[in-house]
Amino acid sequence: MISIINLEDKIKEISGKPFSPIEVARVNDQVVRMALTEGEFHWHRHTNEDELFYVIKGEITIQLRNQPNIILHEGEMTVIPKGIEHCPKSLEPSYILLFEPYKLMTIGD
Amino acid sequence: MISIINLEDKIKEISGKPFSPIEVARVNDQVVRMALTEGEFHWHRHTNEDELFYVIKGEITIQLRNQPNIILHEGEMTVIPKGIEHCPKSLEPSYILLFEPYKLMTIGD
């Protein structure tokens, strides 16, 4: 059975739970996850995996060590390369998609 | 250098070229591609790779053999499993993201 995933429905599932990604879709050995971002996460890195951030609602700032922050608005994405320490934060409740290997641990290694 | 990708900018790049995906972002051994869909593509399959379709503007119908069509509206996604023959079409110009292995050939195997 091939199912249709509606992102507005997924948004309803994660309201009130910031930085707790849920699985949206599995594709090959990858996964699309959705997270509510609100406030600040913690500094972390993924040793072996790049991580794609895509803002579907709101705005997110990805803080980086020794380089300028990345500010993403709705409809914008970026890829944080493996090994780069980062710390996401959002002033207002925002919703992002993450495209990443299934084995990636959102909290960092 | 970590860059920001704006999808509205990417849409401008592909106007007038249906079913000719461009690369939006590389992440690990995967790629996010964007395509304008307008009219009908051709029937094809990907023997070894699942393919994720995500509509960011408009609507797309993914025709399938011997099972109901999948109709995706803006904000909806689906995964076509490897080996499943499919044929996308759109009545009106629409824009989709594809999340798939870099080696996947959009035209099919």
Side-chain angles (χ1 to χ4, degrees):
Chain A
M1 182 63 192
I2 300 174
S3 61
I4 296 172
I5 299 144
N6 182 294
L7 295 187
E8 283 293 331
D9 291 344
K10 291 290 173 187
I11 282 177
K12 290 174 194 152
E13 285 184 34
I14 54 173
S15 290
K17 298 171 201 155
F19 299 110
S20 302
I22 61 167
E23 185 172 309
V24 171
R26 288 284 296 275
V27 50
N28 303 294
D29 55 352
Q30 309 289 309
V31 62
V32 178
R33 296 183 173 123
M34 182 191 283
L36 163 64
T37 58
E38 185 178 10
E40 190 170 78
F41 199 43
H42 59 257
W43 284 93
H44 67 285
R45 62 165 63 85
H46 309 290
T47 309
N48 298 312
E49 302 100 7
D50 307 332
E51 186 172 34
L52 186 147
F53 290 78
Y54 170 36
V55 177
I56 57 171
K57 199 171 290 227
E59 180 180 311
I60 183 173
T61 297
I62 303 175
Q63 303 170 90
L64 303 168
R65 297 280 190 211
N66 305 317
Q67 54 182 307
N69 292 343
I70 302 279
I71 301 174
L72 297 178
H73 307 92
E74 195 170 311
E76 291 181 336
M77 61 173 64
T78 198
V79 177
I80 303 299
K82 59 188 175 189
I84 298 285
E85 201 179 9
H86 57 285
C87 180
K89 68 174 178 180
S90 288
L91 291 179
E92 302 291 335
S94 302
Y95 294 87
I96 62 169
L97 293 182
L98 302 160
F99 291 179
E100 54 200 21
Y102 182 68
K103 66 181 176 182
L104 181 146
M105 300 287 289
T106 303
I107 57 170
D109 299 336
Chain B
M1 183 61 196
I2 299 175
S3 62
I4 296 172
I5 299 144
N6 181 294
L7 295 186
E8 283 293 331
D9 291 344
K10 291 290 174 187
I11 282 176
K12 291 175 191 152
E13 284 183 34
I14 55 172
S15 289
K17 297 172 202 154
F19 300 109
S20 303
I22 61 168
E23 185 172 310
V24 170
R26 288 285 294 277
V27 51
N28 302 295
D29 56 350
Q30 308 290 308
V31 62
V32 178
R33 295 182 172 122
M34 181 190 283
L36 164 64
T37 58
E38 185 177 12
E40 189 169 76
F41 198 43
H42 60 259
W43 285 92
H44 66 285
R45 63 164 61 86
H46 310 289
T47 308
N48 298 313
E49 300 101 9
D50 307 332
E51 186 173 34
L52 184 147
F53 290 77
Y54 170 36
V55 177
I56 55 170
K57 199 171 288 225
E59 180 180 312
I60 183 173
T61 297
I62 303 175
Q63 304 170 91
L64 303 168
R65 297 279 191 212
N66 306 317
Q67 54 182 309
N69 293 343
I70 301 279
I71 301 175
L72 296 178
H73 308 92
E74 195 169 312
E76 291 182 337
M77 60 173 64
T78 197
V79 177
I80 304 299
K82 59 188 175 186
I84 297 285
E85 201 178 11
H86 57 285
C87 179
K89 68 175 178 181
S90 287
L91 292 178
E92 302 292 334
S94 301
Y95 294 87
I96 62 170
L97 293 182
L98 302 160
F99 182 39
E100 55 200 22
Y102 183 68
K103 66 181 177 182
L104 181 147
M105 301 287 289
T106 303
I107 56 171
D109 300 335

